[in-house]
Amino acid sequence: MTPFELAEPTSLKEAIKLLDPDDPTIRPVGGGTALMLMMKAGVFKPVKLISLRRIENSYSTIAATGDGLRIGAMTTLAALERSADVKKAAPLITRTLKTLSNIRVRNVATVGGALAHGDPHMDLPPVLMALGATLTVMGPKGERKLAVEDLFAGYYETVLDKDELIAEAHVPAHGTKKAAYMKVTTGSADDWPALGVAVVLEGDAGGIKSARIVASAATDKATRLKSAEAALIGGKVDDTLLAKVGDAAADEAEYIADVRGSISYKRELMRVYVRRAVRAALEGAK
Amino acid sequence: MSATKTISFTLNGAPVTADVKPHHNLVELLQGQFGLTGARETCGQGLCGCCTVIVDGLAVSGCLYLAAFLNDGAEVSTVEGLDTPAKLSPVQEAFVETAAFQCGYCTPGFILMVGQLLDEHPDPDDDQIKHYLTGNLCRCATYPQVMEAVRLAAKKRKAGAAA
Amino acid sequence: MATTTQDAAKVGAQVGRSVQRLESREKVTGRAEYTHTMRLPNMLHAKMFRSTVAHGRIKSIDTSAAKKVPGVLHVITIDDVMKVIPNPYYGPAFHDQPILAHEKVRFVGEPVAVVLAADPHVAEEAAQLITAEYEELPPVFDEVDALTSKVYVHDELKPAGTFADLKHLKDAKNTNMALDYRLRKGDVDKAFAGAAHVFEHEFKTQKVLHLSFEPHATIADYRDTGVTLYTASQGPSFVRTEIARLLGWPENKVRIKVPFLGSGYGSKLYIKLEALALALSMIARRPVKVALTFEEMFYQITKHPCTFRIKSGLDKDGRIVARKCEVFWNGGAYADIGPRVTQKSGLTATGPYEIDNVSIDSYALYTNVTPAGALRGFGVPQLVWAYEGHTDMIARALKMDPVAFRRKNLLREGRPHATGTILKDAATEKVLDKLVERMNWSQPFDNGSGTVKRGRGLGIAIKAVITPTTSVAIVNVSGDGSVTLYCGTSDMGQGSDTAMAQMVGEVLNIPTESVRVTPRDTDVTPYDMGTLGSRSLFHMGHAVQRAAEHARDQLKALAREVGEPENSNTPIRELFVKRYGMQAGNVIGTGVFKPDYVPPAPGTGLSDNVTAFWMISGAGAEVEVDTETGHVKVTRLVNVLDIGKAINPQVVESQISGAASMQIGFTMFEKMHLDGGQVTNASLADYKIPGFHDIPPMENITVDTYQSNGPFGAKGVGEVATFCVSPAIANAIDDAVGVRLMELPLNPETVFRAIRAKAGQPLGDE
């Protein structure tokens, strides 16, 4: 890693002022677990990092709201994993975090970082997207709301300006919805996923009323599979319907080839795992 | 060049002060300024666990953790703080007795993580052990012996607590 | 440390006891010394600038921007090196590897220039500012292509002169072949012509690497009067010889110190970073540390990818009457120890089978990729992958049970191996019998249903140890009776220090725990050929046993000299006091071992004593295959091994499970991906190795054997559990879903594609 400067503002507003919309060598850093990888590889050589670790504590807290959760962007993934409020309102998040990276990374990595990094292999973005989470984004001109669904612009790309920061995430409670996240690895068991599938459903095996199905990792960004969702609505959930849903998902997604699999193979994984994820959601994941 | 800042913190129970550059990680700080080489940088990506350090009670990957992230007053613990000249910690004893290491390079990271595991789950089942240690890799693949070591360490800790 | 086994420390019965590793305390407290974390006062750090092209002539190297970075002391290219070392080529088999790229680059990642600075971050920043221009040459990547390609990696071959079978390659031009090993027995053509069945298959293995968790590291401290190298090496004696040769110095001015190794598996053999560190220290006139990052290990040394064409002729009863083996080893840009891998494994390419007519050709080939060397098995796992797959395919085609087919053809004790050497202390039958028993082979097997199919498979293998090699040991009994062992075997986790101390304890009748094993230092530890190929316990073990016996005999003589009765139990210290009037003096025992050996006959490769000992192992696997995705779960792995007498059963168990688990990685998913010679997954994020969840339920069984010519009945154990894992799993997959995989790794996509191809619905190539 080559030398750089580090600024440590004590407020979110101050941090935003230190960012420069036109200078890609200045970047914010939360836990740093993802950014450090790019810096060590020499892919990113910062002149200056703006640490968010000393901004207001409120951005590191989780609160139960009337209809769900407010999660500060600097909340660590470990805090999210251990939160009783999260387990109650959105148990899918708690379940997902158990197999997300490893404990040391979860102790340091932040919710805001996991989203803003734009890495399609991360597990939290598809889950938040399937749950219909929204974000409060702060910039020099004030705050704006953004659905997680609208955050990602492409491979490691988001719609955020370089001087905008995610301040909080708002997650609607599951309520009676049924949810599952399935992670498929093709290397070792602890590999980054070749495919992630998050499913949140209303209804039961007799008929699904609404569905959000999100794929990640096999695609260049976490992506809602709307034709698969549409195929799932209405009819009785049996092998025939699930086969249609799987086929719709397989046809709809756009894939990237990498060391974890070819496009053709990932398409087949999609076909199978969308089916399996819907079934897992309906059966009640452990 | 980048500015140096001075941080005062506790290292294995003793108060210390260090001059830290922004681009130095925790492993470099421990090796370079304190001569502690138990935390080692291997993969450099937080995946293997060789660089494990405990900061304010939480395990972190020292290779991905900027030294400048330490707060004044932080409590930092490394493998070197676990034993006394007379006695190893129960986890260390268990690793020795079950031969739960070969080359020993990843061992300090495993030992610190097993300590965390047993703090959280004093009587872990096999799934809990595997889940907790999934981010610690051993290229010598001494995994079955580490499983044994964890079970033995849990017993030793309980016996120690009861005594 | 109050521990139960520690209390078992007692006189007598040191061998065969699960002694805790002598270095236990250092390792669990994080205080064990490794080169990668060592520092010397006034030391500089080196960072390399590496080639971005696979094959090219260097037109220019621009170091000007790097030199301007504040804190940079030197930016060094081969021109600077040649001012201090005029002939900067090194290597164990060929003097083919330049200290930095010279005129040409031969693989992506080859070191071209080096920056020296006191701050490693400064050196890294400056190294990123170096640029080079190349005249690109066509590369050759594939080992089979390399044999006939008109692209030559080296303009002229330069054998080191160490090995007799390379002499004919001196000054050879227009070739990529760094060794052509051959064995001829009987009349293969005639036997094939008369065979009832002929089977021919081609198997391949992928490029994988060791990934020792302590990456390569060397610190050189050059003075005009001598040089000291601190290095993570599996062979301090060879490093000394080679460094002395490069300097034109006698060996006694070169000191090699090797602390514990954060493992090796063959990656730290012979000479790696040592020549570069030497040159840099000579130029800087300061200690210089060269320490690789994890990523840089992908450009240092790998295992050999291999193509193996195997052809067998059978009579109508299922007896193998002829076997022809053509093995192509992808050696990369520099030969390293590839030619020895080619020969020493090549001679067992026909497997543990008795075949009257045999032809083996084994080729070491230069290509434009990272050099390849030995990796836990010295080539044998690549061969077993092929011949045990081939064996199962034949059995399947002949509708014979794979075990019955193996039994029919098995090479048994007292029978001649293909080389002509009679099999001795090689428990092929016992291993196969035990494996069959543990796998319940005679019982029906549930092959699963629906989308999860089950299968089982097995394999059996043979390896010859690298022969002949030499080890020397010294046992020093001090005036107080305490004992120190000096031996050059590198303890890289295999527990050699402890095992050697157990042998000393056994001979001298003292507790193992009281024996100190000196860290390797060529100023005091005597010669050893190297820690490789499972040779140390046997060869160094013999030398240690002899040194201890030599010391014991001198102590007996001392007792007689001071008037003690025969077999008195007078403490050793008192013998010295009686002899010297005070606590003084030493007894020095020395031991040397080199086994008998008959070199292979030129032309035929035949020899009636080709190996000091044989290694035999078998493995059985049960698997579940998800037919919808190709995911394979190994639900059971049984390893059965002939290791002779176990010196330390607890260490042996971890060596066996560790070796088998490492091979699980090489079998299921490990692979270096290359694109135009560029490694595209040079990180632990993208090159995965086995973790807790990847280790199958495992049963490890050693059959009851005694190596009659081994020290205390022992022989090597470090590699033997790797041999059969891959073919056992592939054979089990075939049993489960009826597809045959000819190339490693057996990752889900590979399996799924084979399933779809068999169903007549091949997956697209997108």
Side-chain angles (χ1 to χ4, degrees), chain C residues 279-291:
Chain C
L280 298 176
S281 181
M282 290 174 83
I283 291 164
R285 300 180 73 82
R286 282 169 73 168
V288 174
K289 179 173 182 176
V290 187

Side-chain angles (χ1 to χ4, degrees), chain B residues 24-50:
Chain B
H24 282 176
N25 67 31
L26 197 45
V27 173
E28 291 174 282
L29 174 68
L30 293 168
Q31 293 194 358
Q33 294 193 40
F34 298 99
L36 299 177
T37 57
R40 297 137 188 172
E41 183 156 335
T42 288
C43 75
Q45 299 193 309
L47 297 170
C48 70
C50 292

Side-chain angles (χ1 to χ4, degrees), chain A residues 1-3 40 45 184-192 259-265 267-269 272-273 275-276, chain C residues 121 124-125 128 626 628-629 631 669 673 680-681 685-686 688-689 693-694 747-749 752-753 756 763-766:
Chain A
M1 225 161 50
T2 53
K40 288 178 150 225
K45 290 181 210 171
V184 189
T185 62
T186 55
S188 63
D190 68 335
D191 193 1
W192 288 100
V259 297
R260 294 178 177 81
S262 68
I263 288 171
S264 307
Y265 180 61
R267 184 180 292 121
E268 297 312 307
L269 286 180
V272 173
Y273 271 91
R275 235 165 56 203
R276 288 182 183 181
Chain C
H121 296 282
E124 181 186 341
E125 188 180 12
Q128 290 174 4
D626 181 336
E628 289 187 307
T629 66
H631 280 85
F669 45 78
H673 290 265
T680 60
N681 62 334
D686 289 330
K688 303 310 291 185
I689 64 170
H693 289 99
D694 302 298
N747 61 36
E749 178 164 351
F752 185 70
R753 282 183 177 277
R756 286 284 295 263
L763 200 60
D765 285 330
E766 270 181 280

